[in-house]
Amino acid sequence: MAIPAGLAVMPPGAGLARVLAGIDVERVSGFDTVEVLKAAYRQSCHERARFLHALLEVGLREQFTGDSVVRLHVPDEFAPDEARAALVWSRRRADSAFDLAWNLHRRLPVLGEAMLAGQLDEPRAAAFIRWTGGLTDAQAVWVCERLISRAPAWTVGQLIEHIQRLVLAIDPDWAEKRYREAVRRRRVVGARTEEGTATVSGLDLPLDRAVAGCERIDELARACKRAGDRRPVDHIRADLFLGSLDGSFESLSDSEIVTHVRIHPFLDATPSDASADTPDLQPADNTTT
């Protein structure tokens, strides 16, 4: 099956959607499947931008104005709630999607326009949004305008590096200010996984202390291995981490910790062994935007 002429340069929209609907990709030659893939991706970026625009409009409408068009100039704290109810989303997912929509179509509209044109995808748009945080809107737009045409040729990681260079040229203290602001948000969170296990994370920790903590865990794990512990090193690290958290190692020297871990390993437990009362562990929200 031959693909339509001009598919490689066809802009996204209703026309491309009709063309793609008429292509049976299973009958397309190997070379042409790549063109179908790229065209479908352009269309998906376009549709994602349209969806986020609709989500934004829902959140910006004044309450009790269902029969008219009355918008808020600035969204309030309840802006994502209507979409959350309509789509049966978690609060976190709705908040995240609304924030993305606001940045795409209001704060940095050049990103929304590029997505609608199929020239930019969501991961790259999100990189622009995240890594221009802390700049003024005008400065952020300046960065986007200078990089957006080249962004499709870079991986997201490469794009981030280019964004950071421009941001530092605008504000040499940007990285330090961003670091200090992140450290002010430092916290420890615990979440219960779908398998009934738990994840405990320290977020936005001071780099030097976090590195020192990881190195200490590694050093003690290596000492356990040298002392004859034959378990996987990841299991040993996990035991050391848990023992440091729950007080098992209180007042113990390093050598005593190694002995304790070898003699009293945290054995694999069944769900029935764990307490059902875990008020500090919330179910993990693994939804995406």
Side-chain angles (χ1 to χ4, degrees):
M1 178 180 182
I3 60 174
L7 180 66
V9 295
M10 190 174 296
L16 180 56
R18 285 193 297 270
V19 170
L20 288 170
I23 296 175
D24 183 354
V25 72
E26 294 185 358
R27 298 175 56 202
V28 170
S29 70
F31 178 79
D32 286 343
T33 56
V34 176
E35 294 304 330
V36 175
L37 174 70
K38 292 192 291 187
Y41 198 50
R42 288 198 306 277
Q43 184 67 21
S44 70
C45 294
H46 172 83
E47 294 296 343
R48 179 62 174 169
R50 290 188 62 198
F51 166 76
L52 289 169
H53 194 189
L55 186 147
L56 177 66
E57 282 295 320
V58 169
L60 288 179
R61 295 302 171 91
E62 285 271 16
Q63 288 188 351
F64 313 114
T65 58
D67 295 329
S68 58
V69 179
V70 183
R71 294 184 183 88
L72 298 168
H73 292 294
V74 178
D76 59 27
E77 61 180 311
F78 305 109
D81 286 355
E82 190 74 25
R84 180 168 69 93
L87 302 175
V88 196
W89 279 0
S90 67
R91 181 175 298 279
R92 182 183 301 177
R93 185 178 184 186
D95 289 349
S96 176
F98 186 84
D99 183 67
L100 175 63
W102 171 263
N103 277 281
L104 277 178
H105 294 292
R106 288 294 187 273
R107 175 174 171 261
L108 301 173
V110 64
L111 300 181
E113 292 165 4
M115 280 190 68
L116 285 168
Q119 298 165 355
L120 189 72
D121 61 7
E122 185 174 332
R124 290 174 176 83
F128 275 114
I129 292 166
R130 178 181 179 187
W131 293 101
T132 58
L135 299 180
T136 66
D137 290 354
Q139 290 171 333
V141 169
W142 183 87
V143 171
C144 293
E145 288 176 341
R146 274 148 186 79
L147 297 179
I148 200 166
S149 63
R150 291 178 284 170
W154 295 326
T155 66
V156 173
Q158 291 170 331
L159 174 60
I160 290 171
E161 291 177 1
H162 286 281
I163 295 171
Q164 289 175 334
R165 291 194 194 110
L166 282 186
V167 172
L168 286 170
I170 295 171
D171 182 1
D173 297 325
W174 170 82
E176 183 178 350
K177 289 187 291 187
R178 188 179 178 90
Y179 175 82
R180 289 200 303 266
E181 178 59 33
V183 170
R184 278 195 286 269
R185 299 192 302 268
R186 62 190 182 276
R187 66 245 185 238
V188 173
V189 298
R192 185 174 59 251
T193 69
E194 294 177 352
E195 292 78 14
T197 59
T199 297
V200 180
S201 304
L203 306 178
D204 291 318
L205 306 178
L207 180 61
D208 55 345
R209 295 188 63 187
V211 169
C214 290
E215 288 179 346
R216 174 168 168 73
I217 292 290
D218 283 343
E219 181 181 346
L220 288 170
R222 289 193 295 269
C224 289
K225 294 293 283 186
R226 289 194 299 268
D229 195 327
R230 297 184 179 181
R231 294 176 301 146
V233 70
D234 282 341
H235 291 188
I236 299 172
R237 291 192 186 104
D239 288 1
L240 291 164
F241 178 63
L242 287 172
S244 301
L245 288 178
D246 67 13
S248 297
F249 301 155
E250 188 173 356
S251 302
L252 298 183
S253 66
D254 286 0
S255 61
E256 290 171 332
I257 290 174
V258 171
T259 301
H260 181 92
V261 169
R262 287 193 60 217
I263 297 175
H264 306 288
F266 291 85
L267 299 176
D268 294 339
T270 63
S272 60
D273 295 328
S275 170
D277 183 17
T278 54
D280 293 328
L281 293 182
Q282 300 299 321
D285 186 347
N286 295 322
T287 56
T288 62
T289 58

